Amino acid sequence: MPSRIRLEDRECPLSTTVEHVGEWWTLLILHDAFDGYTRFDQFQQSLSISTSMLTTRLKTLVADGLLERRPYQTNPARHEYVLTERGRSLRPVIVALAAWGNQQLAPEDRSMILVDAATGEEAEPVVVDARTGRRLDDSDAYVFTAGPAASVLMRARYDELDRQRPPRDGARIAQPSAD
């Protein structure tokens, strides 16, 4: 599959992530995998997806290291698709996307909700900073900046954005050194 990422975006983690999981069917297959589906026929029945599309998406998910293809039957040969550690690490992303979708709906219009498995109580997913516990949805409180591996172009982008931001308590955002 040809890359959709522009050359200048190759170092952006958002662009590279979307390259792996940004396709609609991919997210739905991953969602089903988190629900415990592992077999081709389960995915196909759940999603009403064509055989060729499902085959293509599963091959890509395996190639990207998000699913592992394992034999579960020898005669005839049958395989299942099991989440890898890398694939399981996407669960918070899927949960956050579903939560955002539910926020756009009236409670009575939501067809799927996240609940505590032990109590059945509805969960209210939010993305927080693990260090402070603060919510990350405030784009004034949390901003992106160039990381240690940023190219000259990426550093220039965030230097310019930093100049445009109002100072916080008289201080600018500290830029990581290039060392």
Side-chain angles (χ1 to χ4, degrees):
M1 172 181 237
S3 176
R4 293 185 188 149
I5 296 177
R6 299 176 310 169
L7 187 58
E8 61 267 24
D9 289 336
R10 290 215 181 264
E11 72 179 297
C12 173
L14 182 57
S15 295
T16 55
T17 300
V18 169
E19 180 75 4
H20 292 287
V21 298
E23 200 274 331
W24 187 64
W25 284 118
T26 298
L27 290 173
L28 295 178
I29 292 167
L30 287 170
H31 174 256
D32 276 2
F34 288 121
D35 278 350
Y37 294 4
T38 60
R39 298 189 179 171
F40 190 96
D41 60 328
Q42 291 174 317
F43 292 118
Q44 192 170 36
Q45 182 178 3
S46 170
L47 300 171
S48 298
I49 183 174
S50 74
T51 300
S52 63
M53 179 58 77
L54 181 56
T55 299
T56 300
R57 300 281 25 109
L58 288 172
K59 283 182 180 178
T60 300
L61 287 164
V62 169
D64 286 346
L66 301 173
L67 294 177
E68 179 183 347
R69 187 174 183 248
R70 293 184 189 162
Y72 71 86
Q73 179 179 310
T74 55
N75 192 12
R78 298 271 190 253
H79 295 85
E80 63 181 352
Y81 298 87
V82 180
L83 286 160
T84 62
E85 184 58 38
R86 185 177 188 194
R88 284 188 296 276
S89 71
L90 279 167
R91 189 164 196 277
V93 175
I94 302 294
V95 168
L97 286 170
W100 182 86
N102 274 340
Q103 288 173 354
Q104 311 312 306
L105 299 171
E108 65 273 10
D109 293 334
R110 298 179 299 155
S111 62
M112 172 186 79
I113 58 172
L114 184 69
V115 298
D116 181 304
T119 66
E121 293 290 319
E122 185 172 351
E124 197 172 327
V126 296
V127 180
V128 299
D129 173 32
R131 199 172 37 79
T132 65
R134 289 175 41 212
R135 291 175 63 121
L136 297 177
D137 54 1
D138 181 348
S139 58
D140 289 328
Y142 290 95
V143 298
F144 287 104
T145 192
S151 68
V152 171
L153 288 174
M154 184 69 84
R155 286 185 189 286
R157 169 194 169 104
Y158 285 107
D159 285 347
E160 178 60 30
L161 287 170
D162 189 35
R163 281 191 289 280
Q164 295 173 15
R165 290 184 188 118
R168 292 196 160 293
D169 299 327
R172 292 279 182 199
I173 295 171
Q175 296 290 321
S177 68
D179 300 331

